[in-house]
Amino acid sequence: GFGGVVVLKELVKKLKIDPKKTTVAVMGFGNVGYYFADLASKEGFNIVAVSDSKGGIIKKSSDKFLSLDIPLVYECKNEKGSLAGCYCAGGVCDTRGGQMITNEELLELPVDILIPAALEDVINEKNMKNIKAKIIVEMANGPVSPIAYHYLTRKGVIIVPDILANSGGVAASFIEWEQNIENKTYNKTDVLERLEKMMIKAFENIWSESKKNNSDLKEASY
């Protein structure tokens, strides 16, 4: 989740997008989706919809999405066992003004950025024409099917592939392995700073490759 947020931050810099003017929907609220949503919200992104295996939640005022209070949503989910009824925004959780949606509906919301962080192939031939997000960050493994990937890419949707987006976990495992080899205990802050530098370097390499060869980010990453 940390690595994915680093990559998203670098991407919006390249695109000259202000995080505070974005809306983000996150499918999945486990070890990846929750931490992505929490860290992204702290970086100024507006997390307006989240979901778990039983469905998702949004909160709207007129036609405008409201940002969810992710730590409160997390507390509510732990208390209830699922996200059902956890309409948390503006520092409070209540059951008024919120709306339950299915995972399928979450994927098709008119948001700027979509984060599939649960299952593979959730964006496929059946729903690809209904996807409205302009940016997709693959935090799950293979959440966009090959056919959907090519269709959306041709439409101009920027898809950050899983091989880059969720590689923070593997990179952190390497750092942990190195720590064990040296029989040391690394400081958490130092580890995250090092991981951030690794993710930024990987993003820069792939972004440059995509521009040099006029290719999408997945092809560039390979």
Side-chain angles (χ1 to χ4, degrees), residues 55-93:
I57 53 172
I58 59 173
K59 192 166 185 177
K60 294 174 99 176
S61 176
S62 298
D63 292 329
K64 185 179 179 182
F65 289 119
L66 298 179
S67 295
L68 297 169
D69 190 322
I70 299 303
L72 283 180
V73 172
Y74 185 66
E75 282 183 30
C76 183
K77 173 175 176 167
N78 285 340
E79 181 182 325
K80 293 176 177 286
S82 73
L83 289 172
C86 294
Y87 310 124
C88 301
V92 296
C93 289

Side-chain angles (χ1 to χ4, degrees), residues 8-208:
L8 179 58
K9 283 168 57 182
E10 294 306 303
L11 176 64
V12 297
K13 284 181 192 175
K14 296 290 187 186
L15 301 175
K16 296 180 170 55
I17 295 172
D18 182 355
K20 295 178 182 178
K21 296 180 179 179
T22 63
T23 52
V24 183
V26 181
M27 179 186 181
F29 207 63
N31 282 338
V32 178
Y34 161 65
Y35 286 105
F36 187 100
D38 185 50
L39 294 167
S41 65
K42 289 172 181 173
E43 293 292 342
F45 293 91
N46 296 300
I47 312 299
V48 299
V50 295
S51 71
D52 58 19
S53 61
K54 296 181 180 178
I57 53 172
I58 59 173
K59 192 166 185 177
K60 294 174 99 176
S61 176
S62 298
D63 292 329
K64 185 179 179 182
F65 289 119
L66 298 179
S67 295
L68 297 169
D69 190 322
I70 299 303
L72 283 180
V73 172
Y74 185 66
E75 282 183 30
C76 183
K77 173 175 176 167
N78 285 340
E79 181 182 325
K80 293 176 177 286
S82 73
L83 289 172
C86 294
Y87 310 124
C88 301
V92 296
C93 289
D94 59 46
T95 55
R96 297 162 298 178
Q99 179 182 343
M100 284 293 297
I101 56 173
T102 65
N103 276 295
E104 291 73 23
E105 289 171 331
L106 181 141
L107 292 171
E108 299 176 7
L109 287 173
V111 293
D112 301 307
I113 303 168
L114 180 61
I115 314 295
L119 305 172
E120 67 178 344
D121 286 342
V122 293
I123 299 173
N124 50 53
E125 288 180 78
K126 295 179 180 178
N127 62 5
M128 63 187 187
K129 293 182 179 178
N130 300 324
I131 301 301
K132 302 174 186 67
K134 299 297 187 293
I135 296 171
I136 299 173
V137 182
E138 292 189 322
M139 292 305 297
N141 290 327
V144 182
S145 74
I147 290 175
Y149 191 99
H150 290 298
Y151 172 81
L152 292 168
T153 299
R154 285 197 300 270
K155 278 189 62 181
V157 178
I158 296 175
I159 302 177
V160 182
D162 52 7
I163 196 171
L164 169 63
N166 71 27
S167 62
V170 177
S173 292
F174 161 74
I175 297 173
E176 182 180 18
W177 170 82
E178 182 187 76
Q179 168 188 261
N180 293 340
I181 291 292
E182 295 179 352
N183 196 28
K184 293 180 179 178
T185 301
Y186 292 174
N187 178 279
K188 179 181 177 180
T189 301
D190 294 338
V191 170
L192 292 180
E193 287 179 356
R194 185 174 170 192
L195 178 58
E196 182 174 24
K197 290 177 182 177
M198 293 168 73
M199 296 302 297
I200 290 173
K201 183 179 179 181
F203 173 82
E204 287 291 340
N205 287 341
I206 291 170
W207 181 266
S208 298

